[in-house]
CSV table of all heavy atoms in Angstrom, one decimal:
chain,number,residue,atom,x,y,z
A,466,VAL,N,-23.4,0.8,-47.6
A,466,VAL,CA,-23.5,1.2,-49.0
A,466,VAL,C,-22.7,2.5,-49.2
A,466,VAL,O,-22.8,3.4,-48.4
A,466,VAL,CB,-25.0,1.5,-49.4
A,466,VAL,CG1,-25.0,1.9,-50.9
A,466,VAL,CG2,-25.8,0.2,-49.2
A,515,ASP,N,-16.3,-10.2,-34.7
A,515,ASP,CA,-16.3,-11.3,-33.8
A,515,ASP,C,-16.9,-10.8,-32.5
A,515,ASP,O,-16.3,-10.0,-31.8
A,515,ASP,CB,-14.9,-11.9,-33.6
A,515,ASP,CG,-15.0,-13.1,-32.6
A,515,ASP,OD1,-16.1,-13.5,-32.2
A,515,ASP,OD2,-13.9,-13.5,-32.1
A,526,PHE,N,-13.1,-6.4,-34.6
A,526,PHE,CA,-13.1,-6.4,-36.1
A,526,PHE,C,-12.2,-7.6,-36.6
A,526,PHE,O,-11.1,-7.8,-36.1
A,526,PHE,CB,-12.4,-5.1,-36.6
A,526,PHE,CG,-12.2,-5.0,-38.0
A,526,PHE,CD1,-13.3,-4.7,-38.9
A,526,PHE,CD2,-11.0,-5.3,-38.6
A,526,PHE,CE1,-13.1,-4.6,-40.3
A,526,PHE,CE2,-10.8,-5.2,-39.9
A,526,PHE,CZ,-11.8,-4.9,-40.8
A,528,GLY,N,-12.5,-8.5,-40.5
A,528,GLY,CA,-12.0,-8.2,-41.8
A,528,GLY,C,-13.2,-7.6,-42.6
A,528,GLY,O,-14.3,-7.5,-42.1
A,578,HIS,N,-27.9,-26.4,-52.0
A,578,HIS,CA,-26.5,-26.1,-51.7
A,578,HIS,C,-26.3,-25.4,-50.4
A,578,HIS,O,-25.2,-25.4,-49.9
A,578,HIS,CB,-25.9,-25.3,-52.9
A,578,HIS,CG,-26.4,-23.9,-52.9
A,578,HIS,ND1,-27.7,-23.6,-53.4
A,578,HIS,CD2,-25.9,-22.7,-52.4
A,578,HIS,CE1,-27.9,-22.3,-53.3
A,578,HIS,NE2,-26.8,-21.7,-52.7
A,710,PRO,N,-46.3,7.6,-34.2
A,710,PRO,CA,-45.6,6.7,-33.4
A,710,PRO,C,-46.1,6.7,-31.9
A,710,PRO,O,-46.7,7.7,-31.5
A,710,PRO,CB,-44.1,7.2,-33.5
A,710,PRO,CG,-44.2,8.6,-33.8
A,710,PRO,CD,-45.5,8.8,-34.6
A,712,CYS,N,-44.6,7.2,-29.2
A,712,CYS,CA,-44.0,8.2,-28.4
A,712,CYS,C,-44.8,9.5,-28.5
A,712,CYS,O,-44.6,10.4,-27.7
A,712,CYS,CB,-42.5,8.4,-28.8
A,712,CYS,SG,-42.3,8.9,-30.5
A,726,LEU,N,-50.9,2.9,-37.0
A,726,LEU,CA,-51.8,2.2,-37.9
A,726,LEU,C,-51.0,1.7,-39.1
A,726,LEU,O,-50.4,2.5,-39.9
A,726,LEU,CB,-52.9,3.1,-38.3
A,726,LEU,CG,-53.9,2.6,-39.4
A,726,LEU,CD1,-54.6,1.3,-38.9
A,726,LEU,CD2,-54.9,3.6,-39.8
A,731,MET,N,-49.3,-11.1,-45.5
A,731,MET,CA,-48.4,-12.3,-45.7
A,731,MET,C,-48.9,-13.1,-46.9
A,731,MET,O,-50.0,-13.5,-47.0
A,731,MET,CB,-48.4,-13.2,-44.5
A,731,MET,CG,-47.5,-14.4,-44.6
A,731,MET,SD,-47.4,-15.5,-43.2
A,731,MET,CE,-49.0,-16.3,-43.2
A,798,LEU,N,-84.1,15.9,-37.0
A,798,LEU,CA,-83.4,17.1,-37.5
A,798,LEU,C,-82.8,16.7,-38.9
A,798,LEU,O,-82.8,17.5,-39.8
A,798,LEU,CB,-82.4,17.6,-36.6
A,798,LEU,CG,-82.9,18.5,-35.4
A,798,LEU,CD1,-81.8,18.9,-34.5
A,798,LEU,CD2,-83.5,19.8,-36.0
A,833,THR,N,-92.0,9.1,-57.3
A,833,THR,CA,-90.9,9.4,-56.4
A,833,THR,C,-91.3,10.5,-55.3
A,833,THR,O,-90.9,10.4,-54.2
A,833,THR,CB,-89.7,9.9,-57.2
A,833,THR,OG1,-89.5,8.9,-58.3
A,833,THR,CG2,-88.5,10.0,-56.3
A,903,HIS,N,-89.6,17.3,-6.8
A,903,HIS,CA,-88.5,16.5,-6.3
A,903,HIS,C,-87.8,17.2,-5.2
A,903,HIS,O,-86.6,16.8,-4.9
A,903,HIS,CB,-87.5,16.1,-7.5
A,903,HIS,CG,-88.2,15.2,-8.5
A,903,HIS,ND1,-88.1,13.9,-8.5
A,903,HIS,CD2,-88.9,15.6,-9.6
A,903,HIS,CE1,-88.7,13.4,-9.5
A,903,HIS,NE2,-89.2,14.4,-10.2
A,920,ASN,N,-103.6,22.3,-19.7
A,920,ASN,CA,-103.1,21.8,-21.0
A,920,ASN,C,-102.2,20.6,-20.8
A,920,ASN,O,-101.4,20.3,-21.6
A,920,ASN,CB,-102.5,22.8,-21.9
A,920,ASN,CG,-101.4,23.5,-21.1
A,920,ASN,OD1,-101.2,23.3,-19.9
A,920,ASN,ND2,-100.6,24.3,-21.9
A,1031,ARG,N,-88.1,21.5,-36.6
A,1031,ARG,CA,-86.7,21.8,-36.4
A,1031,ARG,C,-86.5,22.6,-35.0
A,1031,ARG,O,-85.6,22.3,-34.3
A,1031,ARG,CB,-86.1,22.7,-37.5
A,1031,ARG,CG,-84.6,23.0,-37.4
A,1031,ARG,CD,-84.1,23.7,-38.7
A,1031,ARG,NE,-84.0,22.7,-39.7
A,1031,ARG,CZ,-84.0,23.0,-41.0
A,1031,ARG,NH1,-84.1,24.2,-41.4
A,1031,ARG,NH2,-83.9,22.0,-41.9
A,1088,LEU,N,-70.6,-8.8,-49.9
A,1088,LEU,CA,-70.4,-7.4,-49.5
A,1088,LEU,C,-71.7,-6.6,-49.6
A,1088,LEU,O,-72.1,-5.9,-48.7
A,1088,LEU,CB,-69.3,-6.8,-50.3
A,1088,LEU,CG,-69.0,-5.3,-50.0
A,1088,LEU,CD1,-68.5,-5.1,-48.6
A,1088,LEU,CD2,-67.9,-4.8,-51.0
A,1232,GLN,N,-57.6,-25.4,-45.7
A,1232,GLN,CA,-57.2,-26.8,-45.5
A,1232,GLN,C,-57.9,-27.4,-44.3
A,1232,GLN,O,-58.3,-28.6,-44.4
A,1232,GLN,CB,-55.7,-26.9,-45.4
A,1232,GLN,CG,-55.0,-26.4,-46.7
A,1232,GLN,CD,-55.2,-27.3,-47.9
A,1232,GLN,OE1,-55.3,-28.5,-47.7
A,1232,GLN,NE2,-55.3,-26.7,-49.1
A,1235,MET,N,-62.8,-27.4,-40.5
A,1235,MET,CA,-63.7,-27.4,-39.4
A,1235,MET,C,-64.9,-26.5,-39.7
A,1235,MET,O,-64.7,-25.4,-40.2
A,1235,MET,CB,-62.9,-26.9,-38.1
A,1235,MET,CG,-63.7,-27.0,-36.9
A,1235,MET,SD,-62.8,-26.6,-35.4
A,1235,MET,CE,-63.9,-26.9,-34.1
A,1241,LEU,N,-68.1,-21.5,-34.0
A,1241,LEU,CA,-68.8,-20.6,-33.2
A,1241,LEU,C,-69.3,-21.2,-31.9
A,1241,LEU,O,-69.3,-20.5,-30.9
A,1241,LEU,CB,-70.0,-20.1,-34.0
A,1241,LEU,CG,-69.8,-19.0,-35.0
A,1241,LEU,CD1,-70.9,-18.8,-36.0
A,1241,LEU,CD2,-69.5,-17.7,-34.3
A,1274,PHE,N,-58.2,-7.1,-37.2
A,1274,PHE,CA,-57.4,-6.1,-36.5
A,1274,PHE,C,-56.8,-6.7,-35.3
A,1274,PHE,O,-57.4,-7.5,-34.6
A,1274,PHE,CB,-58.3,-4.9,-36.1
A,1274,PHE,CG,-59.0,-4.2,-37.2
A,1274,PHE,CD1,-60.2,-4.7,-37.8
A,1274,PHE,CD2,-58.5,-3.0,-37.8
A,1274,PHE,CE1,-60.8,-4.1,-38.8
A,1274,PHE,CE2,-59.1,-2.4,-38.9
A,1274,PHE,CZ,-60.3,-2.9,-39.4
A,1291,GLU,N,-49.7,-15.9,-35.1
A,1291,GLU,CA,-50.8,-16.3,-36.0
A,1291,GLU,C,-50.3,-16.6,-37.4
A,1291,GLU,O,-50.8,-17.6,-38.0
A,1291,GLU,CB,-51.8,-15.1,-36.1
A,1291,GLU,CG,-53.0,-15.4,-37.0
A,1291,GLU,CD,-53.9,-14.2,-37.2
A,1291,GLU,OE1,-53.5,-13.1,-37.0
A,1291,GLU,OE2,-55.1,-14.4,-37.5
A,1295,LEU,N,-50.8,-20.2,-39.3
A,1295,LEU,CA,-51.4,-20.4,-40.6
A,1295,LEU,C,-50.5,-21.2,-41.5
A,1295,LEU,O,-51.0,-22.0,-42.3
A,1295,LEU,CB,-51.7,-19.0,-41.2
A,1295,LEU,CG,-52.8,-18.2,-40.6
A,1295,LEU,CD1,-52.8,-16.8,-41.0
A,1295,LEU,CD2,-54.2,-18.9,-40.9
A,1371,LEU,N,-54.7,-4.9,4.7
A,1371,LEU,CA,-55.5,-5.8,5.5
A,1371,LEU,C,-55.2,-5.6,7.0
A,1371,LEU,O,-56.1,-5.6,7.8
A,1371,LEU,CB,-55.3,-7.3,5.1
A,1371,LEU,CG,-55.8,-7.7,3.8
A,1371,LEU,CD1,-55.3,-9.1,3.4
A,1371,LEU,CD2,-57.3,-7.6,3.7
Side-chain angles (χ1 to χ4, degrees):
V466 178
D515 178 12
F526 174 83
H578 71 281
C712 59
L726 176 60
M731 181 177 71
L798 279 174
T833 309
H903 294 267
N920 56 349
R1031 181 173 289 159
L1088 180 61
Q1232 295 293 325
M1235 189 173 182
L1241 278 165
F1274 299 84
E1291 181 185 22
L1295 287 169
L1371 291 174

